[in-house]
Amino acid sequence: MSSAPRCPHCRHFVYLDTLVCPECEAELGYHLPSRQFFGLRTGRATIAEETWYTCSNRGWGCNWLVREDEGSGRCFSCRLTRTAPDHSDTIAMEKLAKTEEAKRRLVVQLADLGLPIVSWAEAPGGLGFDLLSSISLGRPVTIGHANGIITLDLAENLDDRREALRVKLGEPYRTMLGHLRHEVGHYYQNVLITDEATWAQCRELFGDERASYRDALSRHYSLGAPAGWQSDFISEYATMHPWEDFAETFAHYLHITGTLQTAAAIGIHLDADVTSMRDTDVVPRGSYAREPVQLLLADWEWMSQAFNRINRSMGFSDLYPFDLVAPVRRKLGFIHQLVSHAPLTTEEQFALATPTDTERA
Ligand SMILES: [Zn+2]
Ligand SMILES: [Zn+2]
Ligand SMILES: [Zn+2]
């Protein structure tokens, strides 16, 4: 889907998390299958002769719609959350709302890429989220992925806390969306690599994932990343273990394709005269599924420099503070091949995501 979401009444651009159009004040609901906003009348919209209701978490900022026969008051994204704080814990609930916003953005991107999204509620090992607060629980929450379930610490939505961790760990970038994109990379590594030949290819690029994770963890936290890691890896954390290298690289694939898609949706392009290094304009695409990874990376090289300049002009640090060296480009090429191999249509994704009555019985 390559056009930016708009209000159906006044055609004003709206952000993905909009509940009420800022221009005409219409109540809006987001419809995932069409990636469009619909106007609401008494909390419902009729779309292709079906009735869709607002998600029961609308009071917590969820603007998605639920089809009347889905058997739940919660939308597809909210249902992926397996564990959340108690509703009486209002401080944690505010942090949950911010995290759910990032998660909905992730789900839209996974849907756009045509990746299968099978919920934890429908199949063992399916995708799910345990969204816990280390502050409410009074104990640390380890961010991670195990058997389809992604665990996040909602306390990372506190800017001072997340920024302190970022500085302590020496990371150039740390966001909730970044965590989500990394952890979902662990999930998709197992979903998308299904045969030995592909695993062999993966091991050649990322290393053998059967190496002890426990040893890797203690080595990483006692010795840090090896000297000169920048010539092979996207980040220090990626050096820890082949699983982490894959997840870090997968997260970057989502950063790059997601940002280029937004640029395409709002019509940003760079003139060849300005870049002077290319004969043709840089015109980002909504999808690179049918394009070689070289085009994706060439477009990104120019667009990321342009975005870095824009950020600097506001006194911010770079939008994309990373270098894509040749080995990392090869790893991204492997992920591009995995992700763009026979993407599912939205109908197929939702046939998988919504069990039929017989499956439910
Ligand atoms: Zn409007
Ligand atoms: Zn929802
Ligand atoms: Zn990880």
Side-chain angles (χ1 to χ4, degrees):
M1 307 283 153
S2 52
S3 61
R6 288 172 185 268
C7 170
H9 298 296
C10 71
R11 309 303 298 159
H12 198 270
F13 274 140
V14 289
Y15 292 109
L16 212 47
D17 55 326
T18 298
L19 293 155
V20 175
C21 173
E23 189 68 18
C24 74
E25 296 182 0
E27 286 268 339
L28 301 178
Y30 185 74
H31 179 243
L32 178 64
S34 64
R35 317 288 196 278
Q36 280 178 24
F37 279 88
F38 285 83
L40 303 176
R41 225 169 274 142
T42 57
R44 70 184 78 174
T46 305
I47 304 164
E49 293 171 18
E50 289 175 321
T51 305
W52 291 69
Y53 292 92
T54 52
C55 173
S56 58
N57 283 329
R58 192 169 173 92
W60 290 105
C62 180
N63 61 355
W64 281 24
L65 296 170
V66 191
R67 205 177 56 217
E68 59 182 339
D69 63 353
E70 282 184 59
S72 169
R74 291 185 305 151
C75 72
F76 179 67
S77 174
C78 287
R79 292 200 302 274
L80 290 173
T81 299
R82 186 176 76 160
T83 314
D86 192 274
H87 270 53
S88 63
D89 186 349
T90 49
I91 295 173
M93 285 300 289
E94 276 170 29
K95 306 300 168 228
L96 177 72
K98 289 291 292 174
T99 306
E100 291 287 5
E101 186 183 318
K103 176 164 142 272
R104 287 192 298 276
R105 182 174 290 276
L106 173 77
V107 173
V108 171
Q109 186 177 16
L110 299 176
D112 282 344
L113 290 169
L115 290 168
I117 311 172
V118 180
S119 160
W120 63 276
E122 282 145 30
L127 184 62
F129 296 82
D130 284 354
L131 305 177
L132 312 172
S133 166
S134 57
I135 297 175
S136 306
L137 295 170
R139 61 167 173 84
V141 168
T142 306
I143 297 172
H145 164 268
N147 197 29
I149 302 297
I150 290 169
T151 303
L152 295 180
D153 183 8
L154 298 174
E156 282 235 8
N157 269 315
L158 295 166
D159 292 344
D160 55 346
R161 214 175 162 104
R162 189 186 57 256
E163 187 60 11
L165 274 169
R166 187 188 71 74
V167 173
K168 184 175 157 208
L169 297 170
E171 297 171 344
Y173 170 89
R174 189 177 182 94
T175 65
M176 205 45 107
L177 182 60
H179 287 324
L180 286 162
R181 286 174 169 166
H182 170 102
E183 299 305 337
V184 92
H186 288 306
Y187 171 71
Y188 280 113
Q189 184 169 17
N190 284 314
V191 169
L192 298 177
I193 307 183
T194 50
D195 61 83
E196 269 312 307
T198 314
W199 271 114
Q201 232 185 325
C202 183
R203 283 175 192 137
E204 213 158 281
L205 288 162
F206 297 89
D208 193 333
E209 82 293 343
R210 293 164 295 192
S212 163
Y213 190 85
R214 192 184 292 260
D215 293 353
L217 199 66
S218 63
R219 192 185 57 243
H220 184 75
Y221 286 108
S222 61
L223 302 173
W229 62 268
Q230 294 90 339
S231 52
D232 288 295
F233 295 92
I234 189 68
S235 67
E236 289 191 51
Y237 193 64
T239 67
M240 184 171 104
H241 189 274
W243 289 122
E244 299 308 338
D245 193 13
F246 185 93
E248 282 289 88
T249 312
F250 191 91
H252 277 262
Y253 185 78
L254 296 188
H255 293 331
I256 294 168
T257 52
T259 307
L260 286 171
Q261 191 196 29
T262 301
I266 51 184
I268 295 180
H269 73 269
L270 303 177
D271 274 358
D273 314 346
V274 176
T275 59
S276 77
M277 300 290 284
R278 262 170 68 145
D279 310 335
T280 51
D281 290 358
V282 180
V283 183
R285 310 190 181 212
S287 166
Y288 286 83
R290 291 174 200 284
E291 307 297 340
V293 73
Q294 289 78 7
L295 178 73
L296 170 70
L297 296 176
D299 284 355
W300 182 241
E301 190 179 338
W302 287 106
M303 290 306 299
S304 61
Q305 286 179 52
F307 291 135
N308 286 351
R309 282 169 180 270
I310 287 174
N311 269 28
R312 288 179 190 203
S313 67
M314 272 297 289
F316 285 123
S317 50
D318 285 349
L319 179 94
Y320 189 73
F322 299 95
D323 271 333
L324 297 177
V325 293
V328 173
R329 288 166 171 268
R330 281 195 290 277
K331 294 175 200 180
L332 284 165
F334 175 74
I335 289 171
H336 182 63
Q337 171 200 318
L338 281 182
V339 171
S340 54
H341 180 73
L344 299 178
T345 63
T346 298
E347 289 72 31
E348 288 166 334
Q349 283 176 322
F350 290 94
L352 283 172
T354 314
T356 62
D357 288 340
T358 45
E359 282 169 323
R360 223 181 251 134

